[in-house]
Amino acid sequence: MSAGTLAKPAMRGLLGKRLRFHLAVAFTLSLAAAAGFKFSVTEPRKQAYAEFYKNYDAMKEFEAMREAGVFQSVRPKGQ
């Protein structure tokens, strides 16, 4: 074996250097995750709600629930 000496590890400023790198990576990954969630979950959900409420008739639903006897304070029309 050779009797060479090992180089000293760079300890000064190591925390700051690693922290800058990991903060940049974490920030980039969090932005990518947020954008992915926005375009894969929230945008389709907003579109589905808009499509549903485009043809939604609240009075028709109320009358159907009224006739089914869902409400205690409103009797069906036949009674």
Side-chain angles (χ1 to χ4, degrees), residues 2-42:
S2 68
T5 60
L6 294 174
K8 285 188 169 183
M11 299 300 279
R12 185 178 303 268
L14 184 63
L15 176 65
K17 186 168 56 170
R18 290 181 58 92
L19 193 61
R20 274 193 300 275
F21 171 74
H22 285 104
L23 278 176
V25 169
F27 185 73
T28 304
L29 288 177
S30 66
L31 282 179
F37 186 79
K38 177 181 174 20
F39 291 115
S40 66
V41 175
T42 59

PDB file of all heavy atoms in Angstrom, residues 2-42:
ATOM      1  N   SER A   2       0.293   2.277  -0.564  1.00  0.00           N
ATOM      2  CA  SER A   2       1.055   3.520  -0.579  1.00  0.00           C
ATOM      3  C   SER A   2       0.776   4.292   0.699  1.00  0.00           C
ATOM      4  O   SER A   2      -0.288   4.205   1.292  1.00  0.00           O
ATOM      5  CB  SER A   2       0.684   4.360  -1.799  1.00  0.00           C
ATOM      6  OG  SER A   2      -0.645   4.814  -1.677  1.00  0.00           O
ATOM      7  N   ALA A   3       1.706   5.058   1.094  1.00  0.00           N
ATOM      8  CA  ALA A   3       1.606   5.798   2.347  1.00  0.00           C
ATOM      9  C   ALA A   3       1.185   7.235   2.076  1.00  0.00           C
ATOM     10  O   ALA A   3       1.623   8.151   2.748  1.00  0.00           O
ATOM     11  CB  ALA A   3       2.932   5.756   3.076  1.00  0.00           C
ATOM     12  N   GLY A   4       0.270   7.444   1.085  1.00  0.00           N
ATOM     13  CA  GLY A   4      -0.194   8.799   0.765  1.00  0.00           C
ATOM     14  C   GLY A   4      -1.187   9.306   1.802  1.00  0.00           C
ATOM     15  O   GLY A   4      -1.830   8.546   2.512  1.00  0.00           O
ATOM     16  N   THR A   5      -1.285  10.615   1.940  1.00  0.00           N
ATOM     17  CA  THR A   5      -2.220  11.194   2.904  1.00  0.00           C
ATOM     18  C   THR A   5      -3.535  11.541   2.204  1.00  0.00           C
ATOM     19  O   THR A   5      -3.556  11.883   1.013  1.00  0.00           O
ATOM     20  CB  THR A   5      -1.626  12.461   3.537  1.00  0.00           C
ATOM     21  OG1 THR A   5      -1.367  13.401   2.500  1.00  0.00           O
ATOM     22  CG2 THR A   5      -0.352  12.146   4.296  1.00  0.00           C
ATOM     23  N   LEU A   6      -4.592  11.451   2.943  1.00  0.00           N
ATOM     24  CA  LEU A   6      -5.910  11.791   2.406  1.00  0.00           C
ATOM     25  C   LEU A   6      -6.113  13.294   2.443  1.00  0.00           C
ATOM     26  O   LEU A   6      -5.616  13.985   3.346  1.00  0.00           O
ATOM     27  CB  LEU A   6      -7.003  11.113   3.234  1.00  0.00           C
ATOM     28  CG  LEU A   6      -7.053   9.591   3.170  1.00  0.00           C
ATOM     29  CD1 LEU A   6      -8.091   9.077   4.148  1.00  0.00           C
ATOM     30  CD2 LEU A   6      -7.390   9.146   1.764  1.00  0.00           C
ATOM     31  N   ALA A   7      -6.858  13.794   1.501  1.00  0.00           N
ATOM     32  CA  ALA A   7      -7.165  15.228   1.495  1.00  0.00           C
ATOM     33  C   ALA A   7      -8.168  15.526   2.600  1.00  0.00           C
ATOM     34  O   ALA A   7      -9.040  14.718   2.906  1.00  0.00           O
ATOM     35  CB  ALA A   7      -7.734  15.635   0.136  1.00  0.00           C
ATOM     36  N   LYS A   8      -8.035  16.688   3.193  1.00  0.00           N
ATOM     37  CA  LYS A   8      -8.952  17.071   4.261  1.00  0.00           C
ATOM     38  C   LYS A   8     -10.333  17.357   3.665  1.00  0.00           C
ATOM     39  O   LYS A   8     -10.433  17.953   2.589  1.00  0.00           O
ATOM     40  CB  LYS A   8      -8.445  18.325   4.979  1.00  0.00           C
ATOM     41  CG  LYS A   8      -7.300  18.078   5.883  1.00  0.00           C
ATOM     42  CD  LYS A   8      -7.013  19.325   6.680  1.00  0.00           C
ATOM     43  CE  LYS A   8      -6.047  19.043   7.787  1.00  0.00           C
ATOM     44  NZ  LYS A   8      -5.826  20.236   8.594  1.00  0.00           N
ATOM     45  N   PRO A   9     -11.401  16.971   4.355  1.00  0.00           N
ATOM     46  CA  PRO A   9     -12.741  17.286   3.856  1.00  0.00           C
ATOM     47  C   PRO A   9     -13.036  18.774   4.006  1.00  0.00           C
ATOM     48  O   PRO A   9     -12.549  19.430   4.927  1.00  0.00           O
ATOM     49  CB  PRO A   9     -13.659  16.439   4.742  1.00  0.00           C
ATOM     50  CG  PRO A   9     -12.879  16.174   5.970  1.00  0.00           C
ATOM     51  CD  PRO A   9     -11.430  16.163   5.558  1.00  0.00           C
ATOM     52  N   ALA A  10     -13.820  19.285   3.086  1.00  0.00           N
ATOM     53  CA  ALA A  10     -14.187  20.709   3.131  1.00  0.00           C
ATOM     54  C   ALA A  10     -15.319  20.891   4.136  1.00  0.00           C
ATOM     55  O   ALA A  10     -16.472  20.592   3.852  1.00  0.00           O
ATOM     56  CB  ALA A  10     -14.625  21.176   1.760  1.00  0.00           C
ATOM     57  N   MET A  11     -15.016  21.342   5.318  1.00  0.00           N
ATOM     58  CA  MET A  11     -16.015  21.494   6.370  1.00  0.00           C
ATOM     59  C   MET A  11     -16.526  22.926   6.473  1.00  0.00           C
ATOM     60  O   MET A  11     -17.651  23.155   6.864  1.00  0.00           O
ATOM     61  CB  MET A  11     -15.435  21.065   7.723  1.00  0.00           C
ATOM     62  CG  MET A  11     -14.993  19.623   7.753  1.00  0.00           C
ATOM     63  SD  MET A  11     -16.331  18.486   7.426  1.00  0.00           S
ATOM     64  CE  MET A  11     -17.094  18.429   9.004  1.00  0.00           C
ATOM     65  N   ARG A  12     -15.679  23.885   6.126  1.00  0.00           N
ATOM     66  CA  ARG A  12     -16.084  25.273   6.257  1.00  0.00           C
ATOM     67  C   ARG A  12     -17.087  25.631   5.152  1.00  0.00           C
ATOM     68  O   ARG A  12     -16.832  25.417   3.979  1.00  0.00           O
ATOM     69  CB  ARG A  12     -14.869  26.192   6.161  1.00  0.00           C
ATOM     70  CG  ARG A  12     -15.182  27.652   6.407  1.00  0.00           C
ATOM     71  CD  ARG A  12     -13.944  28.501   6.352  1.00  0.00           C
ATOM     72  NE  ARG A  12     -12.915  28.061   7.301  1.00  0.00           N
ATOM     73  CZ  ARG A  12     -12.778  28.517   8.539  1.00  0.00           C
ATOM     74  NH1 ARG A  12     -13.606  29.429   8.988  1.00  0.00           N
ATOM     75  NH2 ARG A  12     -11.824  28.074   9.314  1.00  0.00           N
ATOM     76  N   GLY A  13     -18.260  26.116   5.550  1.00  0.00           N
ATOM     77  CA  GLY A  13     -19.275  26.524   4.584  1.00  0.00           C
ATOM     78  C   GLY A  13     -20.058  25.353   4.000  1.00  0.00           C
ATOM     79  O   GLY A  13     -20.846  25.535   3.079  1.00  0.00           O
ATOM     80  N   LEU A  14     -19.858  24.156   4.533  1.00  0.00           N
ATOM     81  CA  LEU A  14     -20.532  22.980   3.985  1.00  0.00           C
ATOM     82  C   LEU A  14     -22.039  23.052   4.192  1.00  0.00           C
ATOM     83  O   LEU A  14     -22.808  22.749   3.281  1.00  0.00           O
ATOM     84  CB  LEU A  14     -19.970  21.717   4.636  1.00  0.00           C
ATOM     85  CG  LEU A  14     -20.513  20.402   4.108  1.00  0.00           C
ATOM     86  CD1 LEU A  14     -20.140  20.240   2.644  1.00  0.00           C
ATOM     87  CD2 LEU A  14     -19.974  19.244   4.919  1.00  0.00           C
ATOM     88  N   LEU A  15     -22.474  23.472   5.370  1.00  0.00           N
ATOM     89  CA  LEU A  15     -23.908  23.573   5.653  1.00  0.00           C
ATOM     90  C   LEU A  15     -24.577  24.570   4.721  1.00  0.00           C
ATOM     91  O   LEU A  15     -25.628  24.285   4.134  1.00  0.00           O
ATOM     92  CB  LEU A  15     -24.144  23.973   7.110  1.00  0.00           C
ATOM     93  CG  LEU A  15     -25.606  24.206   7.496  1.00  0.00           C
ATOM     94  CD1 LEU A  15     -26.385  22.905   7.388  1.00  0.00           C
ATOM     95  CD2 LEU A  15     -25.705  24.769   8.900  1.00  0.00           C
ATOM     96  N   GLY A  16     -23.982  25.725   4.543  1.00  0.00           N
ATOM     97  CA  GLY A  16     -24.569  26.740   3.666  1.00  0.00           C
ATOM     98  C   GLY A  16     -24.653  26.282   2.226  1.00  0.00           C
ATOM     99  O   GLY A  16     -25.659  26.504   1.549  1.00  0.00           O
ATOM    100  N   LYS A  17     -23.601  25.599   1.768  1.00  0.00           N
ATOM    101  CA  LYS A  17     -23.580  25.127   0.386  1.00  0.00           C
ATOM    102  C   LYS A  17     -24.659  24.063   0.166  1.00  0.00           C
ATOM    103  O   LYS A  17     -25.407  24.107  -0.810  1.00  0.00           O
ATOM    104  CB  LYS A  17     -22.196  24.575   0.052  1.00  0.00           C
ATOM    105  CG  LYS A  17     -22.038  24.189  -1.402  1.00  0.00           C
ATOM    106  CD  LYS A  17     -20.595  23.915  -1.784  1.00  0.00           C
ATOM    107  CE  LYS A  17     -19.994  22.849  -0.910  1.00  0.00           C
ATOM    108  NZ  LYS A  17     -18.686  22.383  -1.388  1.00  0.00           N
ATOM    109  N   ARG A  18     -24.739  23.109   1.086  1.00  0.00           N
ATOM    110  CA  ARG A  18     -25.746  22.048   0.947  1.00  0.00           C
ATOM    111  C   ARG A  18     -27.155  22.601   1.120  1.00  0.00           C
ATOM    112  O   ARG A  18     -28.091  22.164   0.470  1.00  0.00           O
ATOM    113  CB  ARG A  18     -25.482  20.936   1.950  1.00  0.00           C
ATOM    114  CG  ARG A  18     -24.229  20.157   1.605  1.00  0.00           C
ATOM    115  CD  ARG A  18     -23.975  19.041   2.576  1.00  0.00           C
ATOM    116  NE  ARG A  18     -25.066  18.095   2.658  1.00  0.00           N
ATOM    117  CZ  ARG A  18     -25.165  16.991   1.918  1.00  0.00           C
ATOM    118  NH1 ARG A  18     -24.215  16.721   1.050  1.00  0.00           N
ATOM    119  NH2 ARG A  18     -26.179  16.185   2.055  1.00  0.00           N
ATOM    120  N   LEU A  19     -27.317  23.571   2.018  1.00  0.00           N
ATOM    121  CA  LEU A  19     -28.621  24.167   2.256  1.00  0.00           C
ATOM    122  C   LEU A  19     -29.124  24.909   1.021  1.00  0.00           C
ATOM    123  O   LEU A  19     -30.299  24.802   0.659  1.00  0.00           O
ATOM    124  CB  LEU A  19     -28.544  25.108   3.455  1.00  0.00           C
ATOM    125  CG  LEU A  19     -29.868  25.577   4.035  1.00  0.00           C
ATOM    126  CD1 LEU A  19     -30.679  24.388   4.519  1.00  0.00           C
ATOM    127  CD2 LEU A  19     -29.613  26.511   5.189  1.00  0.00           C
ATOM    128  N   ARG A  20     -28.246  25.664   0.372  1.00  0.00           N
ATOM    129  CA  ARG A  20     -28.643  26.369  -0.857  1.00  0.00           C
ATOM    130  C   ARG A  20     -29.102  25.384  -1.921  1.00  0.00           C
ATOM    131  O   ARG A  20     -30.121  25.591  -2.577  1.00  0.00           O
ATOM    132  CB  ARG A  20     -27.481  27.200  -1.391  1.00  0.00           C
ATOM    133  CG  ARG A  20     -27.382  28.573  -0.788  1.00  0.00           C
ATOM    134  CD  ARG A  20     -26.434  29.455  -1.574  1.00  0.00           C
ATOM    135  NE  ARG A  20     -25.061  28.921  -1.625  1.00  0.00           N
ATOM    136  CZ  ARG A  20     -24.141  29.123  -0.696  1.00  0.00           C
ATOM    137  NH1 ARG A  20     -24.436  29.838   0.365  1.00  0.00           N
ATOM    138  NH2 ARG A  20     -22.938  28.609  -0.820  1.00  0.00           N
ATOM    139  N   PHE A  21     -28.375  24.307  -2.075  1.00  0.00           N
ATOM    140  CA  PHE A  21     -28.729  23.298  -3.072  1.00  0.00           C
ATOM    141  C   PHE A  21     -30.072  22.650  -2.736  1.00  0.00           C
ATOM    142  O   PHE A  21     -30.967  22.555  -3.577  1.00  0.00           O
ATOM    143  CB  PHE A  21     -27.631  22.224  -3.145  1.00  0.00           C
ATOM    144  CG  PHE A  21     -28.008  21.052  -3.990  1.00  0.00           C
ATOM    145  CD1 PHE A  21     -28.031  21.148  -5.371  1.00  0.00           C
ATOM    146  CD2 PHE A  21     -28.380  19.845  -3.400  1.00  0.00           C
ATOM    147  CE1 PHE A  21     -28.394  20.060  -6.151  1.00  0.00           C
ATOM    148  CE2 PHE A  21     -28.737  18.763  -4.172  1.00  0.00           C
ATOM    149  CZ  PHE A  21     -28.749  18.868  -5.553  1.00  0.00           C
ATOM    150  N   HIS A  22     -30.234  22.223  -1.493  1.00  0.00           N
ATOM    151  CA  HIS A  22     -31.458  21.524  -1.117  1.00  0.00           C
ATOM    152  C   HIS A  22     -32.674  22.454  -1.103  1.00  0.00           C
ATOM    153  O   HIS A  22     -33.787  22.014  -1.406  1.00  0.00           O
ATOM    154  CB  HIS A  22     -31.277  20.817   0.227  1.00  0.00           C
ATOM    155  CG  HIS A  22     -30.446  19.589   0.104  1.00  0.00           C
ATOM    156  ND1 HIS A  22     -29.136  19.554   0.510  1.00  0.00           N
ATOM    157  CD2 HIS A  22     -30.723  18.381  -0.405  1.00  0.00           C
ATOM    158  CE1 HIS A  22     -28.642  18.357   0.257  1.00  0.00           C
ATOM    159  NE2 HIS A  22     -29.587  17.618  -0.297  1.00  0.00           N
ATOM    160  N   LEU A  23     -32.494  23.710  -0.762  1.00  0.00           N
ATOM    161  CA  LEU A  23     -33.608  24.664  -0.829  1.00  0.00           C
ATOM    162  C   LEU A  23     -34.046  24.880  -2.270  1.00  0.00           C
ATOM    163  O   LEU A  23     -35.250  24.941  -2.560  1.00  0.00           O
ATOM    164  CB  LEU A  23     -33.229  25.998  -0.182  1.00  0.00           C
ATOM    165  CG  LEU A  23     -33.340  26.045   1.331  1.00  0.00           C
ATOM    166  CD1 LEU A  23     -32.850  27.394   1.843  1.00  0.00           C
ATOM    167  CD2 LEU A  23     -34.762  25.811   1.771  1.00  0.00           C
ATOM    168  N   ALA A  24     -33.107  24.986  -3.174  1.00  0.00           N
ATOM    169  CA  ALA A  24     -33.455  25.167  -4.585  1.00  0.00           C
ATOM    170  C   ALA A  24     -34.195  23.942  -5.121  1.00  0.00           C
ATOM    171  O   ALA A  24     -35.203  24.067  -5.824  1.00  0.00           O
ATOM    172  CB  ALA A  24     -32.195  25.432  -5.403  1.00  0.00           C
ATOM    173  N   VAL A  25     -33.720  22.758  -4.780  1.00  0.00           N
ATOM    174  CA  VAL A  25     -34.385  21.532  -5.227  1.00  0.00           C
ATOM    175  C   VAL A  25     -35.776  21.428  -4.617  1.00  0.00           C
ATOM    176  O   VAL A  25     -36.754  21.099  -5.311  1.00  0.00           O
ATOM    177  CB  VAL A  25     -33.527  20.293  -4.875  1.00  0.00           C
ATOM    178  CG1 VAL A  25     -34.304  19.010  -5.085  1.00  0.00           C
ATOM    179  CG2 VAL A  25     -32.261  20.284  -5.701  1.00  0.00           C
ATOM    180  N   ALA A  26     -35.913  21.714  -3.331  1.00  0.00           N
ATOM    181  CA  ALA A  26     -37.213  21.631  -2.661  1.00  0.00           C
ATOM    182  C   ALA A  26     -38.191  22.638  -3.251  1.00  0.00           C
ATOM    183  O   ALA A  26     -39.368  22.326  -3.461  1.00  0.00           O
ATOM    184  CB  ALA A  26     -37.048  21.874  -1.164  1.00  0.00           C
ATOM    185  N   PHE A  27     -37.728  23.851  -3.519  1.00  0.00           N
ATOM    186  CA  PHE A  27     -38.588  24.881  -4.102  1.00  0.00           C
ATOM    187  C   PHE A  27     -39.058  24.461  -5.491  1.00  0.00           C
ATOM    188  O   PHE A  27     -40.235  24.575  -5.826  1.00  0.00           O
ATOM    189  CB  PHE A  27     -37.822  26.209  -4.165  1.00  0.00           C
ATOM    190  CG  PHE A  27     -38.662  27.353  -4.638  1.00  0.00           C
ATOM    191  CD1 PHE A  27     -39.628  27.904  -3.830  1.00  0.00           C
ATOM    192  CD2 PHE A  27     -38.481  27.877  -5.913  1.00  0.00           C
ATOM    193  CE1 PHE A  27     -40.411  28.964  -4.264  1.00  0.00           C
ATOM    194  CE2 PHE A  27     -39.252  28.926  -6.358  1.00  0.00           C
ATOM    195  CZ  PHE A  27     -40.216  29.474  -5.529  1.00  0.00           C
ATOM    196  N   THR A  28     -38.151  23.934  -6.298  1.00  0.00           N
ATOM    197  CA  THR A  28     -38.501  23.490  -7.651  1.00  0.00           C
ATOM    198  C   THR A  28     -39.492  22.335  -7.617  1.00  0.00           C
ATOM    199  O   THR A  28     -40.482  22.332  -8.358  1.00  0.00           O
ATOM    200  CB  THR A  28     -37.230  23.075  -8.413  1.00  0.00           C
ATOM    201  OG1 THR A  28     -36.313  24.175  -8.401  1.00  0.00           O
ATOM    202  CG2 THR A  28     -37.543  22.688  -9.834  1.00  0.00           C
ATOM    203  N   LEU A  29     -39.250  21.364  -6.753  1.00  0.00           N
ATOM    204  CA  LEU A  29     -40.158  20.220  -6.655  1.00  0.00           C
ATOM    205  C   LEU A  29     -41.524  20.625  -6.121  1.00  0.00           C
ATOM    206  O   LEU A  29     -42.550  20.093  -6.564  1.00  0.00           O
ATOM    207  CB  LEU A  29     -39.547  19.133  -5.776  1.00  0.00           C
ATOM    208  CG  LEU A  29     -38.371  18.376  -6.381  1.00  0.00           C
ATOM    209  CD1 LEU A  29     -37.808  17.374  -5.385  1.00  0.00           C
ATOM    210  CD2 LEU A  29     -38.779  17.677  -7.666  1.00  0.00           C
ATOM    211  N   SER A  30     -41.561  21.567  -5.193  1.00  0.00           N
ATOM    212  CA  SER A  30     -42.857  22.003  -4.663  1.00  0.00           C
ATOM    213  C   SER A  30     -43.651  22.757  -5.723  1.00  0.00           C
ATOM    214  O   SER A  30     -44.873  22.596  -5.817  1.00  0.00           O
ATOM    215  CB  SER A  30     -42.679  22.856  -3.414  1.00  0.00           C
ATOM    216  OG  SER A  30     -42.039  24.071  -3.729  1.00  0.00           O
ATOM    217  N   LEU A  31     -42.975  23.557  -6.528  1.00  0.00           N
ATOM    218  CA  LEU A  31     -43.676  24.246  -7.624  1.00  0.00           C
ATOM    219  C   LEU A  31     -44.191  23.244  -8.655  1.00  0.00           C
ATOM    220  O   LEU A  31     -45.324  23.376  -9.151  1.00  0.00           O
ATOM    221  CB  LEU A  31     -42.754  25.250  -8.307  1.00  0.00           C
ATOM    222  CG  LEU A  31     -42.540  26.567  -7.579  1.00  0.00           C
ATOM    223  CD1 LEU A  31     -41.581  27.455  -8.368  1.00  0.00           C
ATOM    224  CD2 LEU A  31     -43.844  27.286  -7.355  1.00  0.00           C
ATOM    225  N   ALA A  32     -43.403  22.233  -8.949  1.00  0.00           N
ATOM    226  CA  ALA A  32     -43.839  21.205  -9.899  1.00  0.00           C
ATOM    227  C   ALA A  32     -45.033  20.426  -9.348  1.00  0.00           C
ATOM    228  O   ALA A  32     -45.986  20.136 -10.082  1.00  0.00           O
ATOM    229  CB  ALA A  32     -42.686  20.260 -10.211  1.00  0.00           C
ATOM    230  N   ALA A  33     -45.004  20.106  -8.064  1.00  0.00           N
ATOM    231  CA  ALA A  33     -46.127  19.383  -7.457  1.00  0.00           C
ATOM    232  C   ALA A  33     -47.383  20.235  -7.436  1.00  0.00           C
ATOM    233  O   ALA A  33     -48.487  19.741  -7.713  1.00  0.00           O
ATOM    234  CB  ALA A  33     -45.756  18.955  -6.039  1.00  0.00           C
ATOM    235  N   ALA A  34     -47.243  21.517  -7.128  1.00  0.00           N
ATOM    236  CA  ALA A  34     -48.401  22.408  -7.100  1.00  0.00           C
ATOM    237  C   ALA A  34     -48.997  22.567  -8.502  1.00  0.00           C
ATOM    238  O   ALA A  34     -50.222  22.535  -8.677  1.00  0.00           O
ATOM    239  CB  ALA A  34     -48.004  23.773  -6.538  1.00  0.00           C
ATOM    240  N   ALA A  35     -48.153  22.727  -9.492  1.00  0.00           N
ATOM    241  CA  ALA A  35     -48.649  22.852 -10.862  1.00  0.00           C
ATOM    242  C   ALA A  35     -49.303  21.555 -11.327  1.00  0.00           C
ATOM    243  O   ALA A  35     -50.360  21.570 -11.969  1.00  0.00           O
ATOM    244  CB  ALA A  35     -47.504  23.232 -11.801  1.00  0.00           C
ATOM    245  N   GLY A  36     -48.702  20.432 -10.988  1.00  0.00           N
ATOM    246  CA  GLY A  36     -49.297  19.147 -11.348  1.00  0.00           C
ATOM    247  C   GLY A  36     -50.651  18.948 -10.701  1.00  0.00           C
ATOM    248  O   GLY A  36     -51.595  18.474 -11.337  1.00  0.00           O
ATOM    249  N   PHE A  37     -50.781  19.303  -9.439  1.00  0.00           N
ATOM    250  CA  PHE A  37     -52.064  19.183  -8.747  1.00  0.00           C
ATOM    251  C   PHE A  37     -53.103  20.112  -9.347  1.00  0.00           C
ATOM    252  O   PHE A  37     -54.252  19.729  -9.536  1.00  0.00           O
ATOM    253  CB  PHE A  37     -51.883  19.494  -7.262  1.00  0.00           C
ATOM    254  CG  PHE A  37     -53.117  19.250  -6.439  1.00  0.00           C
ATOM    255  CD1 PHE A  37     -53.451  17.969  -6.054  1.00  0.00           C
ATOM    256  CD2 PHE A  37     -53.932  20.298  -6.067  1.00  0.00           C
ATOM    257  CE1 PHE A  37     -54.588  17.734  -5.306  1.00  0.00           C
ATOM    258  CE2 PHE A  37     -55.074  20.079  -5.320  1.00  0.00           C
ATOM    259  CZ  PHE A  37     -55.403  18.790  -4.935  1.00  0.00           C
ATOM    260  N   LYS A  38     -52.682  21.329  -9.684  1.00  0.00           N
ATOM    261  CA  LYS A  38     -53.617  22.298 -10.254  1.00  0.00           C
ATOM    262  C   LYS A  38     -54.178  21.797 -11.580  1.00  0.00           C
ATOM    263  O   LYS A  38     -55.391  21.851 -11.803  1.00  0.00           O
ATOM    264  CB  LYS A  38     -52.937  23.641 -10.459  1.00  0.00           C
ATOM    265  CG  LYS A  38     -53.830  24.688 -11.109  1.00  0.00           C
ATOM    266  CD  LYS A  38     -53.095  25.974 -11.292  1.00  0.00           C
ATOM    267  CE  LYS A  38     -53.789  27.059 -12.033  1.00  0.00           C
ATOM    268  NZ  LYS A  38     -55.187  27.050 -12.168  1.00  0.00           N
ATOM    269  N   PHE A  39     -53.308  21.312 -12.448  1.00  0.00           N
ATOM    270  CA  PHE A  39     -53.770  20.927 -13.777  1.00  0.00           C
ATOM    271  C   PHE A  39     -54.340  19.519 -13.846  1.00  0.00           C
ATOM    272  O   PHE A  39     -55.077  19.209 -14.778  1.00  0.00           O
ATOM    273  CB  PHE A  39     -52.636  21.101 -14.788  1.00  0.00           C
ATOM    274  CG  PHE A  39     -52.292  22.540 -15.020  1.00  0.00           C
ATOM    275  CD1 PHE A  39     -51.057  23.040 -14.649  1.00  0.00           C
ATOM    276  CD2 PHE A  39     -53.221  23.406 -15.571  1.00  0.00           C
ATOM    277  CE1 PHE A  39     -50.741  24.363 -14.844  1.00  0.00           C
ATOM    278  CE2 PHE A  39     -52.918  24.732 -15.769  1.00  0.00           C
ATOM    279  CZ  PHE A  39     -51.687  25.215 -15.405  1.00  0.00           C
ATOM    280  N   SER A  40     -54.024  18.663 -12.875  1.00  0.00           N
ATOM    281  CA  SER A  40     -54.567  17.308 -12.940  1.00  0.00           C
ATOM    282  C   SER A  40     -55.771  17.103 -12.027  1.00  0.00           C
ATOM    283  O   SER A  40     -56.512  16.153 -12.227  1.00  0.00           O
ATOM    284  CB  SER A  40     -53.486  16.285 -12.594  1.00  0.00           C
ATOM    285  OG  SER A  40     -53.109  16.425 -11.246  1.00  0.00           O
ATOM    286  N   VAL A  41     -55.965  17.990 -11.036  1.00  0.00           N
ATOM    287  CA  VAL A  41     -57.083  17.805 -10.106  1.00  0.00           C
ATOM    288  C   VAL A  41     -58.047  18.986 -10.125  1.00  0.00           C
ATOM    289  O   VAL A  41     -59.238  18.812 -10.379  1.00  0.00           O
ATOM    290  CB  VAL A  41     -56.560  17.569  -8.669  1.00  0.00           C
ATOM    291  CG1 VAL A  41     -57.705  17.489  -7.682  1.00  0.00           C
ATOM    292  CG2 VAL A  41     -55.732  16.306  -8.612  1.00  0.00           C
ATOM    293  N   THR A  42     -57.547  20.180  -9.858  1.00  0.00           N
ATOM    294  CA  THR A  42     -58.469  21.304  -9.661  1.00  0.00           C
ATOM    295  C   THR A  42     -59.113  21.798 -10.948  1.00  0.00           C
ATOM    296  O   THR A  42     -60.293  22.138 -10.936  1.00  0.00           O
ATOM    297  CB  THR A  42     -57.771  22.478  -8.955  1.00  0.00           C
ATOM    298  OG1 THR A  42     -56.656  22.901  -9.733  1.00  0.00           O
ATOM    299  CG2 THR A  42     -57.315  22.082  -7.575  1.00  0.00           C
TER     300      THR A  42
END
